[in-house]
Amino acid sequence: MSAWAWIRKTVWVTSLGLFLSMPALAASPTPAEIAKAKSVFADAQNVSTRDAGRLWGVPLYGRMLLVIPATRAVIANQPDPQQRLQPQDGVYVGMLPEDVVLSDAPTEWEGVRWTQLRLPMLPEDAGARSITLAHEMFHRIQPELHLAANATANPQLDTEQGRLWLQLEWRALAAALIESGPAQTQAIRDALVFRNQRHALFPGSAATEAAMEIVEGTAQYTGIAAAEPDAAAARWYAAADLVHPDAEVSFSRISAFMSGPAYGLLLDERLPGWRKALNEHSDLGAMLASTLHDNAKESADSRAAVYGASGLRIELADRAAREEAMQAQYRAALVDGPTLSLTALGRFSFNPSTAVSLGADGIVYLTFHAIARWGTLDVKAGGVLVSSDFSRAALPVPTTIKGSHLEGNGWTIDLAPGWSAAPAAKSGNYVLMQSPR
């Protein structure tokens, strides 16, 4: 399974985790679920053992929680500090407390950091599963490696020009991964020319893209480098994802899954020891550029022709027309209104692969879950418009209000006690308000 298939299949979550509004059922893990969990733990330990601290100087394997979402039954590989989990058949089982969110992300629980995964969502393919496990285990140790950068979305990567120069960069990186000598050097130079062209078109994008590559790019690099049997296999795996991206998904938050491994694997070859110099402010592109020991100047447009830019431009023009129609639809529903406004989104999760950027107005996420002081939001269709800093959101106005339960086009909110939907200053709009005590 490629990175694109994995992104398509699962909900990629924020570091705050995936929040589900379904009620928990009092059920213990079944023997089959325990057997599956033990197999996953063994796979994770094997990946870590093969790595033997080679990449980051510390073991990847550590505390892990595997959760059954429908029941909140949990299976751990180690005891929890407060001994809420009970030993059973070589693992530790119990129920995940309601105040701990379900996630495919690192989780703080009882004062320690765990790798948490939803058991049914792991890839069946052994190689893809090993990559995913190494990726997620790296996220658990990321803070102690000082690689927990403040990553934000990159909506420029969903524009016509942003996607053009990003995909040209990917094609050049793929060539660099499978070439050697002068041909590799030329391909690296081309990738960086395309990267710089994009950054020139979108001021400020160099920093935000570099941060995402530190957060997600180094994690996916770790997954591929640790799971693949050797460097050549890792390079070919990464190259395949670069050459055949999923043209329908949003790149704003997932581009680093492709570019990060490519830069990391090339740095392994050309700048040994680079990982020791890495920090949350590093730029993988700049690090690779330091291996080019000449001042050759290249024209982005002339080099673009070598990588099939003419065909890309046709594909992207068609996509841009469809994207513009979607943007108009969402702008009418979520900007022009009437809308229900939300603030202080609290803890949340979303699938970034289906995001639609509305520029300064924010990003539309087609699925979104949030638990906030005003209640629980569940968006399954229709979309929600969220500001870039996640401080506010907008939904189509509710079609049904039954006490504390609100329903709208594809969404529901269950309000916390003391909260209600009240008319806003703009006629037809609503806002959530807390009753005075």
Side-chain angles (χ1 to χ4, degrees), residues 3 6-7 12-16 56 104-106 113 131-132 134-136 138-139 142 147-152 154 208-224 251-262 278 284 350 352:
W6 175 243
I7 290 166
W12 184 80
V13 299
T14 72
S15 61
L16 293 170
W56 304 106
D104 293 320
R113 189 173 172 90
I131 290 172
T132 299
H135 176 119
E136 297 300 341
F138 172 81
H139 277 316
Q142 202 163 13
L147 296 176
N150 181 24
T152 58
N154 287 285
T208 57
E209 291 179 23
M212 189 64 79
E213 285 174 347
I214 293 298
V215 172
E216 290 296 342
T218 55
Q220 187 67 359
Y221 155 79
T222 300
I224 294 172
F251 291 164
S252 65
R253 284 185 175 271
I254 63 176
S255 65
F257 276 76
M258 278 53 69
S259 55
L278 197 67
L284 298 183
F350 53 90

Side-chain angles (χ1 to χ4, degrees), residues 330 333-335 339-342 345 348-351 354-358 361-370 374 377-387 390 392-396 409-411 413:
Y330 287 124
L334 299 171
V335 177
T339 62
L340 169 66
S341 297
L342 311 175
L345 299 183
F348 52 83
S349 73
F350 53 90
N351 184 343
T354 58
V356 178
S357 174
L358 297 188
D361 289 314
I363 296 177
V364 177
Y365 296 106
L366 301 193
T367 59
F368 199 89
H369 302 271
W374 38 258
L377 166 68
D378 184 18
V379 180
K380 293 184 177 179
V384 56
L385 177 62
V386 182
S387 63
F390 292 95
R392 63 188 187 278
L395 294 159
N409 179 23
W411 63 266
I413 290 179

Side-chain angles (χ1 to χ4, degrees), residues 184-331:
Q184 182 186 74
T185 298
Q186 180 63 58
I188 289 172
R189 185 180 293 114
D190 292 339
L192 295 172
V193 164
F194 301 147
R195 184 182 179 95
N196 291 337
Q197 174 78 357
R198 184 176 68 254
H199 293 164
L201 290 172
F202 302 98
S205 63
T208 57
E209 291 179 23
M212 189 64 79
E213 285 174 347
I214 293 298
V215 172
E216 290 296 342
T218 55
Q220 187 67 359
Y221 155 79
T222 300
I224 294 172
E228 290 295 317
D230 53 45
R235 289 197 295 268
W236 280 100
Y237 185 100
D241 276 340
L242 291 164
V243 173
H244 299 292
D246 187 336
E248 296 306 312
V249 304
S250 166
F251 291 164
S252 65
R253 284 185 175 271
I254 63 176
S255 65
F257 276 76
M258 278 53 69
S259 55
Y263 279 107
L265 293 168
L266 289 168
L267 286 165
D268 283 345
E269 179 180 351
R270 298 176 66 97
L271 193 65
W274 69 275
R275 291 184 301 274
K276 293 182 179 178
L278 197 67
N279 61 54
E280 63 183 17
H281 303 296
S282 297
D283 183 321
L284 298 183
M287 295 181 81
L288 188 58
S290 71
T291 70
L292 301 178
H293 304 298
D294 58 52
N295 295 316
K297 299 294 184 182
E298 302 283 359
S299 162
D301 286 321
S302 64
R303 295 305 300 170
V306 177
Y307 295 91
S310 57
L312 269 179
R313 286 191 169 97
I314 294 172
E315 294 173 15
L316 291 171
D318 178 65
R319 185 187 186 279
R322 289 184 280 115
E323 187 84 356
E324 185 175 350
M326 279 194 297
Q327 289 171 334
Q329 174 186 341
Y330 287 124
R331 195 174 297 281

Side-chain angles (χ1 to χ4, degrees), residues 10-32:
T10 138
V11 175
W12 184 80
V13 299
T14 72
S15 61
L16 293 170
L18 173 66
F19 294 80
L20 302 180
S21 57
M22 66 179 68
L25 304 176
S28 298
T30 66

